């Protein structure tokens, strides 16, 4: 009897303890702290702006470094860069006539090598040359300056195609083109790299990798300076004025 009573008492105590434990564990949930912080639209815009700025900065610095290395390489290998030389190409404004190195004599020339199917770089560089011509034409109209575009894509760039392409730029642009060997020869003379294959398909959809420089030639057809992609319009205008003034004093 005593044993049975003690067993029932123990069972009641255990039941009470379990009830208390269950009741004590039912606490209201605590709010979780945001350890990251609030990502507001303003902070998102700042993050994107900083990222874009860093990408632009490093691309610009890389372009400057590559151009500087190219100029240093040319100077170390050849002293004063020997750029230019004899060439003969089709004048797109008069396909029955040839434009040669002798046609550079008597004028300052800005020469750019590119191709009409170029999606962005060539148009940007030709726009820059156009801006230079407009500036010098307004402030120094006495400087005889002719812009020349030489195609590095002879398979697709016909005289007619080039003429239509240059309409969007300065009206004094002279378009030149030749066959593959003529193109290769003039590019070699001006130390221009280009990747168009000799058997390129005229109907093919391809890009031409090439050097990005605007060459300034003096009225005797001699190389003066090469302006890379990072060179701005004002820099080119100032350099042209300086070289013209220096040559006038000689």
């Amino acid at each position: 009897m005593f044993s049975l009573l003690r067993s029932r008492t123990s069972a009641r105590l255990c039941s009470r303890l379990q009830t208390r434990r269950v009741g004590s564990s039912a606490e209201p949930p605590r709010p979780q702290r945001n350890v990251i912080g609030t990502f507001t639209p303003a902070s998102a815009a700042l993050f994107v702006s900083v990222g874009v700025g860093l990408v632009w900065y490093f691309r610009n610095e890389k372009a400057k470094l590559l151009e500087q290395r190219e100029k240093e390489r040319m100077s170390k290998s050849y002293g004063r860069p020997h750029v230019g030389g004899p060439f003969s190409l089709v004048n797109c404004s008069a396909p029955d006539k040839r434009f040669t190195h002798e046609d550079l004599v008597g004028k300052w020339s800005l020469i750019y090598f590119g191709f009409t199917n170029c999606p962005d770089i060539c148009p940007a560089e030709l726009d820059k040359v156009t801006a230079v011509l407009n500036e010098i034409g307004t402030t120094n109209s006495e400087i005889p300056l002719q812009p020349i575009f030489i195609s590095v894509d002879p398979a697709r760039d016909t005289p007619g195609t080039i003429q239509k392409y240059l309409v969007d730029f300065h009206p004094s642009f002279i378009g030149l083109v030749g066959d593959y060997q003529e193109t290769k020869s003039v590019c070699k003379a001006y130390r221009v790299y280009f990747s168009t294959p000799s058997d390129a398909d005229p109907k093919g959809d391809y890009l031409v990798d090439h050097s990005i420089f605007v060459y300034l030639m003096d009225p005797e057809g001699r190389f003066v300076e090469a302006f890379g992609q990072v060179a701005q319009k004002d820099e080119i205008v100032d350099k042209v004025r300086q070289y013209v003034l220096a040559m006038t004093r000689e």
Side-chain angles (χ1 to χ4, degrees):
M1 183 68 178
F2 178 75
S3 176
L4 178 60
L5 179 61
R6 185 173 60 180
S7 177
R8 289 178 179 177
T9 302
S10 298
R12 289 174 182 174
L13 288 174
C14 289
S15 177
R16 289 178 182 178
L17 287 174
Q18 289 176 357
T19 302
R20 289 179 181 178
R21 287 175 182 174
V22 171
S24 62
S25 64
E27 297 180 357
R30 297 180 180 179
Q32 294 183 351
R33 294 181 179 178
N34 191 344
V35 296
I36 298 178
T38 305
F39 197 61
T40 64
S43 60
L46 178 61
F47 178 80
V48 172
S49 299
V50 171
V52 171
L54 288 174
V55 170
W56 177 88
Y57 173 78
F58 285 114
R59 284 184 177 177
N60 192 54
E61 290 301 309
K62 182 179 179 180
K64 287 182 179 179
L65 181 60
L66 291 175
E67 289 177 10
Q68 184 62 31
R69 286 180 179 176
E70 178 65 14
K71 289 183 178 181
E72 289 177 356
R73 183 191 66 79
M74 294 171 68
S75 297
K76 289 179 180 179
S77 301
Y78 310 102
R80 186 173 185 268
H82 180 70
V83 176
F87 67 87
S88 177
L89 299 169
V90 174
N91 188 334
C92 296
S93 59
D96 57 331
K97 296 182 179 180
R98 306 287 289 186
F99 188 101
T100 74
H101 57 285
E102 295 179 353
D103 292 303
L104 301 179
V105 177
K107 295 182 179 179
W108 292 84
S109 300
L110 288 173
I111 303 177
Y112 180 76
F113 291 77
F115 64 110
T116 63
N117 282 284
C118 182
D120 45 24
I121 294 178
C122 291
E125 292 301 292
L126 295 180
D127 278 336
K128 184 165 61 179
V129 173
T130 297
V132 170
L133 293 166
N134 289 335
E135 176 71 18
I136 292 181
T138 301
T139 59
N140 303 91
S141 57
E142 73 282 0
I143 299 178
L145 189 61
Q146 65 179 355
I148 298 173
F149 173 84
I150 299 179
S151 173
V152 293
D153 187 13
R156 294 181 297 186
D157 286 347
T158 64
T161 300
I162 294 175
Q163 279 298 97
K164 291 180 181 178
Y165 179 71
L166 294 178
V167 168
D168 293 331
F169 307 102
H170 199 276
S172 63
F173 254 110
I174 300 172
L176 304 179
V177 68
D179 59 28
Y180 182 80
Q181 289 302 322
E182 291 170 338
T183 303
K184 184 177 179 180
S185 177
V186 69
C187 285
K188 182 178 180 180
Y190 280 82
R191 305 194 183 283
V192 172
Y193 163 79
F194 78 108
S195 66
T196 308
S198 58
D199 58 347
D201 182 3
K203 297 181 180 180
D205 183 16
Y206 57 87
L207 296 177
V208 181
D209 188 19
H210 62 91
S211 304
I212 307 171
F213 285 102
V214 176
Y215 296 92
L216 176 64
M217 312 297 287
D218 71 13
E220 296 182 12
R222 299 175 304 183
F223 170 78
V224 177
E225 186 164 341
F227 301 102
Q229 188 178 1
V230 298
Q232 300 300 310
K233 183 262 292 183
D234 292 339
E235 176 187 347
I236 300 175
V237 169
D238 290 341
K239 287 291 183 67
V240 170
R241 289 171 177 164
Q242 292 174 19
Y243 287 124
V244 171
L245 180 61
M247 191 171 186
T248 303
R249 290 175 177 175
E250 293 179 355

